Amino acid sequence: MGRMRGILHIAYKLLINDRAKYAALLVGITFAVFLMIEMTSLFAGILARSSATVINIGASIWVMDPAIQTVANSIPLPSYVLDEVRSMPGVKYAVPLYSGSALLKLRDGTYQAANVIGLDDTSLFGRPTLVDGRLEDIYGENAFIAIKDSEFYKLENPEIGAEFELNDHRGVIVGIARVASSGLFGVPTLYTTYNRALQYIPNTRFTISYLLVEPKSAADVASIKRQVAAAGYLALTKDEFIQKIADFYKYQTGIGTNMLIMTVISFIIGLSISGQTFYTFVIENLEKFGALKAIGAKGRALIFMILFQASFVALTGYGIGVGLCTIIIGLAKLRLPDYAAIVTFGNLALAFFMVVVIAAISSYVGIRKVLKIEPFDIFRG
Amino acid sequence: MAKTAIEAAGLNKWFGEGEAKTHAVRDVTFEAYFGEILYVVGPSGSGKTTMLSIISGILRPNSGSVKIEDTEIWRLSNDALAEFRLHKIGFVFQDYHLFPRLTTAENVAIPLILQKRDWSEALKEAEIDLEVVGLKDRAQLPPVKLSGGEQQRVAIARAIVSRPDILILDEPTASLDGDTGRNIVKFVREHILTDQRCIVIVTHDSRIYEFADRIVKMEDGKLRGIERENLNGQ
């Protein structure tokens, strides 16, 4: 490779000294990368937020009705399922979880929808990390813990002791806490005990949203899943539940399809701009490449030159695209705390793969042209 | 007796098949020697360029052989032939074919770069040859900033930078006005031709005939014999 350095130097200078085409190539790749990463990051953000409750509660196994599609739409379980699961071999403990929504009346008289999470009264399993207040105060009268996430301001930025109404019940904020992930639907979250949640929020005959189960060991997970299935319910590990929710949003809401279409369109736009520009670039230099062949350049040297040019443009455009996307997402998050976008390694890898495909297709067309040109054609004019 | 540089024997080249078959070169045999400038002249379509391409290892003949020094070039593999051209033959194309995005010095250095020489070393050698053709002060300019005659000189510098034994010039005056064309070929005669170098020029410009040692004429793909010989008393 070291011996190819000179020829690559020529390729580099041919590329960057043609500023108009170099700029067009960079714009094409950067634009495509920016759109692809932006689209997939938005989707990743939506997926992460759609599983916020599962991530924040952190239970190893979730037991639910088999018809459940997302954590937000729970189908209540009868209380005997809790007893049955607790009696299963391999179960270390199992606790109920309430997950529902409520309409709060704030001090200024306005109404605000909120998620209410009811934790097992005894263990408070899945409790958030308090940043203000004392955990034991949750057992006090009308006590709620407010989650300080991007939706916190919708509760009028309450402090300890702040009051609100929930179905004509008085509620008091006794703690401020943080969780790992904000929810998808743009509503604030309150934590309380399971029994208080049932007391404050109208319920159906069955009241348990989910059962949170801790196995005695990792080896017991499969057995617990089988036993729960035999009882007519579904047990999923945390990761499986997150995947199930993600699959719902991907395949059953149209969001996934739309994001896929947008990503493919971004790819096609990038390919069109870069491919066309690179093709023109090669065509304009075709006679010169033919002259190089006549002088004594071997086909593989010319292939190296074109591959280098395509790769250089692709990687530079990729870097600028990633940087631009990161800046835009960062700025958006400064202005819009609810902005759901996460740049994941998966997004970066997907965009990189697509850029490599763009570079490969663009250079393939150029290489074909260059290999076809005969030095004799240069003499013939 | 000068040493033979190029020995072409029984060259034939045709294109197409059946009724579309065109016999571009017919049974051409000739020799060129070190220390001479040989002109190949003839009307358009007479096969000059095809013959030039065959003797320079660019276009494979249908039959016949080309020996340059002691090498039968058409017995070499494609890679070996490319390597042979790179080291033994210098080309000056009719349209120069200089890269407009490279500097003049970088254009001249290309054969050395293809020989995998160090970049800065190649540029230094290129500047030496630019000095030979009187364009050292133009080394950092792009070719598009030069006149036609200057671009032709750059092309000549590129052709000689690897010290080839054979120099091939294809219609070197075609894109130049009369005086500039004459000056270029005169320059080649006075500064580029050496006893160790053979120069073959394809042209139909009779105004530069005076600079040839020998002139061979082609018509309908055939070599019609030597038109003029030893013009310069060699």
Side-chain angles (χ1 to χ4, degrees):
Chain A
M1 190 65 196
R3 290 165 69 85
M4 297 299 292
R5 202 173 294 153
I7 198 84
L8 299 187
H9 201 149
I10 291 177
Y12 170 77
K13 298 203 85 171
L14 288 178
L15 179 68
I16 63 161
N17 287 349
D18 193 346
R19 289 186 185 161
K21 288 204 181 55
Y22 182 53
L25 283 165
L26 278 186
V27 166
I29 298 275
T30 300
F31 185 60
V33 168
F34 173 75
L35 283 178
M36 285 190 283
I37 294 184
E38 182 69 25
M39 287 296 131
T40 52
S41 297
L42 279 173
F43 194 41
I46 288 171
L47 291 185
R49 289 191 172 204
S50 67
S51 298
T53 303
V54 183
I55 294 165
N56 295 336
I57 297 294
S60 300
I61 297 175
W62 292 65
V63 174
M64 64 198 80
D65 189 281
I68 289 278
Q69 291 179 309
T70 75
V71 69
N73 303 111
S74 59
I75 299 172
L77 306 170
S79 54
Y80 63 78
V81 181
L82 175 60
D83 301 327
E84 188 173 357
V85 170
R86 280 175 169 163
S87 68
M88 288 176 181
V91 171
K92 189 174 177 185
Y93 58 81
V95 295
L97 180 79
Y98 177 85
S99 172
S101 56
L103 202 56
L104 311 182
K105 187 177 182 185
L106 304 178
R107 285 179 69 89
D108 67 356
T110 58
Y111 287 89
Q112 171 64 50
N115 286 328
V116 176
I117 305 291
L119 302 173
D120 173 48
D121 291 56
T122 311
S123 63
L124 297 181
F125 180 81
R127 60 185 174 274
T129 306
L130 277 178
V131 293
D132 196 7
R134 295 184 311 162
L135 184 62
E136 54 267 36
D137 287 347
I138 200 171
Y139 295 116
E141 199 175 349
N142 311 316
F144 286 82
I145 292 172
I147 298 302
K148 195 166 189 176
D149 57 9
S150 55
E151 319 302 336
F152 183 68
Y153 75 96
K154 293 176 181 172
L155 295 173
E156 297 176 337
N157 294 311
E159 294 179 347
I160 303 288
E163 295 183 354
F164 58 87
E165 279 183 33
L166 197 167
N167 286 334
D168 292 335
H169 293 279
R170 174 175 170 264
V172 180
I173 301 297
V174 297
I176 310 291
R178 288 195 185 280
V179 289
S181 176
S182 298
L184 175 63
F185 301 108
V187 292
T189 303
L190 294 172
Y191 277 65
T192 187
T193 60
Y194 177 77
N195 282 316
R196 181 170 299 115
L198 297 187
Q199 183 190 344
Y200 276 46
I201 301 169
N203 274 296
T204 54
R205 180 178 164 210
F206 301 136
T207 54
I208 300 173
S209 304
Y210 297 95
L211 288 178
L212 309 179
V213 179
E214 189 64 26
K216 285 178 180 167
S217 71
D220 292 317
V221 172
S223 152
I224 292 170
K225 287 170 76 172
R226 275 198 303 275
Q227 293 173 79
V228 169
Y233 294 93
L234 178 65
L236 296 175
T237 63
K238 179 182 163 188
D239 290 341
E240 287 170 344
F241 195 15
I242 290 172
Q243 188 59 51
K244 184 180 174 72
I245 296 164
D247 288 345
F248 171 76
Y249 281 99
K250 277 182 202 168
Y251 306 119
Q252 295 185 50
T253 62
I255 297 175
T257 310
N258 288 331
M259 290 291 177
L260 180 67
I261 290 169
M262 283 303 294
T263 306
V264 170
I265 289 172
S266 310
F267 170 76
I268 292 169
I269 291 171
L271 178 62
S272 307
I273 298 175
S274 307
Q276 177 65 32
T277 310
F278 198 72
Y279 180 75
T280 312
F281 174 77
V282 170
I283 290 293
E284 278 188 8
N285 285 297
L286 198 56
E287 287 190 347
K288 276 75 181 179
F289 282 118
L292 285 184
K293 269 184 157 179
I295 290 170
K298 297 187 184 78
R300 59 179 171 275
L302 303 180
I303 292 173
F304 267 123
M305 285 178 79
I306 290 176
L307 284 178
F308 173 79
Q309 288 169 333
S311 307
F312 184 83
V313 166
L315 292 180
T316 309
Y318 178 76
I320 297 173
V322 170
L324 189 64
C325 197
T326 308
I327 291 169
I328 296 287
I329 289 176
L331 288 175
K333 283 191 173 176
L334 280 178
R335 296 288 301 166
L336 305 163
D338 296 345
Y339 191 67
I342 303 172
V343 180
T344 67
F345 286 116
N347 304 147
L348 295 175
L350 177 71
F352 183 77
F353 172 74
M354 289 188 153
V355 163
V356 168
V357 172
I358 290 173
I361 293 173
S362 303
S363 51
Y364 172 74
V365 176
I367 286 169
R368 271 186 54 133
K369 279 278 172 196
V370 166
L371 290 182
K372 271 188 179 175
I373 181 85
E374 289 293 337
F376 178 56
D377 298 331
I378 303 306
F379 272 123
R380 254 195 322 205
Chain B
M1 174 99 183
K3 191 181 165 195
T4 304
I6 303 170
E7 196 177 332
L11 295 180
N12 280 284
K13 180 68 188 178
W14 57 83
F15 300 99
E17 293 293 333
E19 289 185 7
K21 186 174 176 179
T22 308
H23 215 134
V25 173
R26 296 168 187 263
D27 200 26
V28 167
T29 298
F30 76 96
E31 290 180 345
Y33 305 100
F34 284 109
E36 77 164 353
I37 293 184
L38 173 70
Y39 280 19
V40 181
V41 302
S44 293
S46 61
K48 306 187 296 292
T49 299
T50 305
M51 198 270 284
L52 189 74
S53 302
I54 293 172
I55 63 166
S56 56
I58 280 174
L59 184 67
R60 187 173 288 277
N62 294 104
S63 66
S65 66
V66 176
K67 192 190 271 186
I68 293 182
E69 296 181 61
D70 295 321
T71 307
E72 284 273 6
I73 64 168
W74 289 111
R75 289 189 180 170
L76 298 173
S77 66
N78 286 341
D79 274 1
L81 188 54
E83 199 71 24
F84 184 85
R85 286 200 305 269
L86 186 57
H87 288 88
K88 293 286 184 185
I89 303 174
F91 294 93
V92 179
F93 305 106
Q94 184 176 335
D95 298 325
Y96 322 134
H97 291 304
L98 301 172
F99 283 99
R101 309 291 175 191
L102 300 181
T103 65
T104 298
E106 287 163 351
N107 267 287
V108 173
I110 281 176
L112 301 178
I113 301 295
L114 292 175
Q115 288 178 7
K116 301 183 174 75
R117 299 273 287 278
D118 176 70
W119 178 265
S120 51
E121 183 192 324
L123 283 183
K124 270 185 198 163
E125 288 199 33
E127 287 184 14
I128 291 170
D129 281 305
L130 278 173
E131 193 169 9
V132 170
V133 298
L135 291 173
K136 195 184 178 191
D137 58 332
R138 303 279 201 272
Q140 300 310 317
L141 292 177
V144 287
K145 295 264 175 85
L146 306 182
S147 68
E150 287 174 328
Q151 289 187 41
Q152 184 69 288
R153 283 171 184 242
V154 174
I156 291 168
R158 182 177 65 183
I160 62 171
V161 74
S162 59
R163 309 288 172 258
D165 297 336
I166 312 291
L167 197 58
I168 305 281
L169 288 85
D170 184 26
E171 303 281 7
T173 59
S175 308
L176 303 173
D177 63 69
D179 285 345
T180 309
R182 272 179 54 81
N183 288 338
I184 285 287
V185 181
K186 186 179 175 195
F187 175 82
V188 169
R189 166 106 229 151
E190 291 173 354
H191 296 92
I192 308 299
L193 180 65
T194 67
D195 288 344
Q196 288 78 43
R197 182 171 284 155
C198 170
I199 299 177
V200 180
I201 298 178
V202 162
T203 185
H204 54 254
D205 184 354
S206 58
R207 294 170 301 180
I208 59 168
Y209 280 7
E210 65 184 282
F211 301 110
D213 291 302
R214 286 191 301 143
I215 299 175
V216 293
K217 189 173 184 184
M218 286 197 75
E219 272 180 16
D220 298 329
K222 293 178 183 168
L223 209 58
R224 291 295 184 194
I226 294 168
E227 176 134 307
R228 295 164 76 181
E229 192 166 12
N230 291 332
L231 292 171
N232 292 282
Q234 291 183 15

